[in-house]
Amino acid sequence: MRSTHQRLVPRVHEAFSRRSVIRAFGAVLAIYLSPWAAASSQAQQQGARTMNHYATQKSLSDAVDGGGLLVVAQWEAKPGEADKVAAILDRFLPEAQREEGVKLFLISRARDNPAQFLFYELFRDEAAFKAHQESAHFKTWIAGEALPLLAKRERVRYALM
């Protein structure tokens, strides 16, 4: 049996520990529920405008009402490719947020490591997630342009409780 201290230390080899998912959820909620600060770069400013507009359109209770399929994804761009990935995501995000089966779709960029991106995607159901992956904007910007620029891509799917 492990000591209590050992259980509290996150395991480096696990892609998504319970603690990292909880932290990610907290960070996403903090972003979703509070206004974004003015960003220094034009890409960050565009992202802030997109997220602020989106946050005024839906409430958190609207998003989680009725459950759904939650997808949490973490990306890490290859060295030197992070700004290209961010530019692609700036174009992709508004399109993804407008999809019929999307209840909530947020993308954030790590402050400490701008090559890391966190996605928090809530779909009405499995069919909506499949439709998202079949959309023209997903195929063009994500599969066609962004994925080749990544060093790492991880996804975990959850059912809301």
Side-chain angles (χ1 to χ4, degrees):
M1 182 172 194
R2 297 186 313 195
S3 73
T4 302
H5 174 71
Q6 287 175 321
R7 277 185 261 136
L8 296 176
V9 176
R11 296 183 191 115
V12 174
H13 67 278
E14 290 181 354
F16 290 97
S17 68
R18 174 179 279 169
R19 181 171 286 177
S20 71
V21 170
I22 290 170
R23 282 185 191 149
F25 180 70
V28 168
L29 284 180
I31 291 166
Y32 184 73
L33 297 175
S34 66
W36 284 51
S40 59
S41 75
Q42 182 178 2
Q44 288 174 329
Q45 288 174 357
Q46 174 60 38
R49 285 193 300 270
T50 301
M51 294 305 293
N52 279 335
H53 172 74
Y54 184 69
T56 63
Q57 302 300 312
K58 293 184 179 183
S59 72
L60 185 56
S61 63
D62 290 339
V64 299
D65 186 42
L69 172 65
L70 173 66
V71 177
V72 177
Q74 292 182 334
W75 286 9
E76 185 163 342
K78 291 177 182 174
E81 303 292 1
D83 288 337
K84 289 179 190 174
V85 171
I88 293 165
L89 295 176
D90 278 342
R91 294 189 312 268
F92 169 76
L93 181 60
E95 297 295 325
Q97 291 172 336
R98 283 193 284 270
E99 292 176 32
E100 183 180 329
V102 170
K103 297 172 88 176
L104 179 67
F105 203 106
L106 304 174
I107 303 173
S108 56
R109 191 173 184 183
R111 288 183 178 182
D112 294 338
N113 181 355
Q116 294 178 340
F117 299 87
L118 175 71
F119 294 69
Y120 194 82
E121 310 166 8
L122 181 58
F123 298 92
R124 179 186 59 233
D125 53 25
E126 189 72 38
F129 178 60
K130 183 173 174 143
H132 166 70
Q133 293 181 306
E134 294 297 322
S135 69
H137 51 272
F138 182 91
K139 288 180 177 179
T140 300
W141 289 322
I142 301 303
E145 294 182 26
L147 294 183
L149 303 177
L150 301 182
K152 184 165 95 174
R153 177 186 184 209
E154 299 172 355
R155 285 190 303 194
V156 177
R157 296 162 43 151
Y158 300 89
L160 289 184
M161 298 174 54

